Amino acid sequence: MTEQLNGLRRILNEAIDDIIAACAKRNEEFPSIDNPAQPSEFSPHGIRNDPTVSHAIKLGVAAAHQLVATLQSPMQTVIGIGTYTTLPGNVAVVERTHVAEIIRQYGKGGMCAADIVKYNGTSADKLERILRHLATHHVFREVSPGVFAHNMLSSLLDTGKDVELIMKNLDGKFDGTNGLAAYISSLTSEQIKTYASMWNLMTDDPRADSQELNETSFQRAYDTNLTFWQFLDLPENDFSRRRFDCAMQGVSSMQPPGTILTTYDWNSMPESGTIVDVGSGLGHVSLEIASVRPDLTFILEDRPSVLEDARKYWTQHAPELVENAHFIATDYLCPQPQLPTVPDILLLRFILHNLSDKYATILLKHLRAIAKSSTKLIVVDYVVEHACLTPRNLDSESQDTIPGAAAPAAPSPLLPNYGLAGALTYQMDMIMLAHFNAKERTIEHWIDLFSASGWRLVKVNRDPTNKTDWPLLVAEVVEGL
Ligand SMILES: C[S@@+](CC[C@H](N)C(=O)[O-])C[C@H]1O[C@@H](n2cnc3c(N)ncnc32)[C@H](O)[C@@H]1O
């Protein structure tokens, strides 16, 4: 055990030394957790997006979590796990009572709960305790007894909107925002309730082994037969739908900005070529690509309700591109509609992880049916790594016939998948499971899924600042099917 503890200490020390050295080289301070998040967090030039720093962060975070799990009393840790629901539960309270926007008005000095509730009308005693619980998890800062101010983490719950404006138009709270608060809000509402039913579904429900979109923990929790998407389309869920569409933009901020541009050479596409953005949402990923290739024709496909908003979004953000874009309402589980041109690229970002193997295969076969031999399928999704070494990362990359397929394993004594430094991959896998009977996939699983539907995985492109999460998978048509 001493050897493991020493190993963790060494990794942690080296990671912090590397971060401090990188800061010194750039002549800048590492961002303080006590201040609101700086705009540089959203810039490709931000310190956390420096490749050396980003790698050191990954190692440091993995080591710190493993150290806690190793050092702390196991009883405390396990009982603590049982209480985790309090954390998203309290983030939900704070978001739904607009505390982030209210507190912002008072700057560094902060605000006491009695003053906060004058704006949102909730309980001061309960809110104070909720904020202290969050501050202990480094979300908000208790600046003096009972007085709370923003810190780096809590500031991301802030939409940036004026609280009075929010109160006047609650349904539009997230409209026009960067989507980050919307994403956190979405994760702490339908998602919590859904997950609470997971154990029921796994123990006493004939749907436990289903692959259907309407036989999940979500249907059990909400006592409905509607799929999650159909549920969002109900008129009474307009707020949730708008929030979800906006949230998908917030998802992008989990990656270094511009990752979609650094993980694929969009200039390799033919002049005036065509991209079909399947399940485009508002189409902000396509808009990012359009920033470097405005000559391309973009075809956005999604549910009718989403595409209405997508057209508005493009009209607002890129009026010059709307004319050459197509907004085609589709059900991607049906054969593809007649398209204006044969696509050069079929882009699926966070689509296949919403589908079980059964339905992912159906969608991929429909796409294969409209592809030409040079069409590329581009998939952006998580790739799950095992929590142990596998033949793929033991054998070294040179033996892998698919470039980039093997993710570099973390050094011992860390878990080879970087443990909780990569936690989101596994958390998202559970969210996909609970809402869609779907999944995040291992690389072997991706290879099998593509080959079962007429495609072949040819390459895995990884961003230099984030080599392990969210790679971009490139697949080509298998001829003769
Ligand atoms: C997780 S979001 C991803 C959105 C976008 N690709 C992005 O990366 O931001 C999944 C998208 O698939 C769309 N979708 C779900 N079911 C669909 C269906 N049957 N046909 C077409 N689109 C669908 C949803 O409306 C949603 O916009």
Side-chain angles (χ1 to χ4, degrees), residues 229 244-245 248-249 251-252 277-282 284-285 301-303 306 330-333 348-351 353-354:
W229 306 114
F244 184 88
D245 293 342
M248 285 305 101
Q249 197 182 342
V251 172
S252 301
D277 188 346
V278 181
S280 60
L282 299 181
H284 42 82
V285 180
E301 294 187 352
D302 209 296
R303 292 152 40 230
V306 177
T330 45
D331 175 352
Y332 57 38
L333 296 178
L348 290 89
R349 193 185 85 144
F350 301 138
I351 298 303
H353 80 161
N354 291 150

Side-chain angles (χ1 to χ4, degrees), residues 99-164:
V99 171
E101 287 80 6
I102 296 170
I103 278 191
R104 183 210 325 133
Q105 308 173 105
Y106 286 70
K108 282 189 166 179
M111 224 174 154
C112 67
D115 284 339
I116 298 173
V117 300
K118 287 182 192 152
Y119 289 86
N120 62 16
T122 190
S123 156
D125 169 60
K126 290 177 187 167
L127 188 59
E128 178 176 325
R129 288 155 54 206
I130 286 171
L131 286 171
R132 185 164 299 114
H133 168 260
L134 289 174
T136 307
H137 285 86
H138 309 288
V139 181
F140 292 103
R141 200 159 60 92
E142 189 166 8
V143 287
S144 60
V147 177
F148 297 89
H150 269 309
N151 72 351
M152 185 171 66
L153 300 186
S154 65
S155 70
L156 299 179
L157 301 174
D158 183 1
T159 55
K161 287 192 173 175
D162 191 279
V163 70
E164 263 102 32

Side-chain angles (χ1 to χ4, degrees), residues 182-223:
Y183 193 37
I184 298 161
S185 173
S186 176
L187 286 171
T188 56
S189 52
E190 285 100 12
Q191 328 271 11
I192 300 190
K193 183 165 169 182
T194 293
Y195 214 82
S197 288
M198 195 64 212
W199 71 267
N200 300 106
L201 191 87
M202 294 292 283
T203 53
D204 67 357
D205 199 309
R207 298 172 288 190
D209 199 29
S210 173
Q211 289 208 39
E212 300 303 314
L213 279 155
N214 64 350
E215 295 185 348
T216 72
S217 183
F218 172 76
Q219 281 78 32
R220 171 128 185 179
Y222 281 83
D223 193 21

